[in-house]
Amino acid sequence: MSSSKQMSLLLMTILSSLLYLLVSSFEYEIGANKGWVVPPANDTRIYNDWASENRFQVDDTIRFKYRKDSVMEVSVEDYKKCNSSHPNFFSNTGNTVYHLNHSGYFYFMSGVSGHCERGQRMIIKVISSDQETNSGGEKSSASPSAPVLSSGVFKALLSQLAMSYVASYVFY
């Protein structure tokens, strides 16, 4: 294979691989190494403060890790009242991944009695790609806390690179 064909193949591989990165989503882990727990009495806004420092976009995911607890996505009215009787979503698996599938606000709280009142709740604002600038017109400098490529995108990217590598030897 001529060097110009090899260079073209390499360039096509790189460009097609970059497309996966452009459409990737992030996974955020709630509470980092502590997980989804009742916050200390003097820090009941810890989850909302964390959420306001991040820029969530449609198709991102959030992961809740917890023990002997649960996570619920609820209406704004239920969030304000810490009412857990009518959740839109409920999980108590200990390792919950929630897909942020539209722009707007998502309201989360613990389903364990008394935990929401003690601060184990959070509001996440999800922006669409056309909302990426803040009110001043400039991009936000906040970066995701422990973001990772979603596993599907990562696997697809690795697969693409592996196939390109093999193809370069087959056609060489």
Side-chain angles (χ1 to χ4, degrees):
M1 183 184 252
S2 70
S3 66
S4 64
K5 285 185 179 180
Q6 285 177 323
M7 186 58 96
S8 295
L9 181 62
L10 177 64
L11 189 56
M12 283 181 11
T13 300
I14 292 170
L15 290 176
S16 65
S17 297
L18 288 175
L19 289 176
Y20 287 110
L21 294 175
L22 295 175
V23 297
S24 68
S25 59
F26 287 104
E27 180 175 285
Y28 296 82
E29 188 168 329
I30 307 301
N33 56 0
K34 290 183 182 179
W36 178 242
V37 297
V38 175
N42 63 346
D43 201 8
T44 58
R45 291 200 32 85
I46 189 169
Y47 294 115
N48 280 330
D49 289 346
W50 173 84
S52 68
E53 293 170 2
N54 290 287
R55 297 296 172 258
F56 302 94
Q57 295 189 6
V58 175
D59 289 329
D60 285 347
T61 56
I62 52 176
R63 181 177 300 272
F64 296 84
K65 290 185 178 179
Y66 49 91
R67 293 188 181 148
K68 297 181 180 180
D69 209 323
S70 63
V71 62
M72 305 168 70
E73 192 265 323
V74 297
S75 69
V76 62
E77 295 82 12
D78 286 344
Y79 177 86
K80 288 177 181 178
K81 298 175 185 174
C82 285
N83 180 5
S84 62
S85 61
H86 299 97
N88 300 323
F89 171 84
F90 172 82
S91 179
N92 62 356
T93 63
N95 188 15
T96 301
V97 176
Y98 188 90
H99 180 232
L100 302 170
N101 59 357
H102 62 84
S103 62
Y105 290 92
F106 290 82
Y107 301 89
F108 297 95
M109 59 187 249
S110 169
V112 174
S113 181
H115 285 198
C116 177
E117 292 83 357
R118 292 170 50 201
Q120 194 176 0
R121 61 184 182 163
M122 170 179 61
I123 302 170
I124 288 186
K125 179 182 179 185
V126 177
I127 59 174
S128 61
S129 58
D130 60 335
Q131 294 175 312
E132 285 186 16
T133 56
N134 62 23
S135 59
E138 56 195 49
K139 284 244 183 204
S140 168
S141 61
S143 62
S145 175
V148 295
L149 281 177
S150 68
S151 62
V153 172
F154 184 69
K155 288 176 185 174
L157 180 59
L158 283 179
S159 176
Q160 175 76 25
L161 289 173
M163 286 189 296
S164 298
Y165 180 74
V166 170
S168 70
Y169 278 100
V170 170
F171 297 112
Y172 182 49

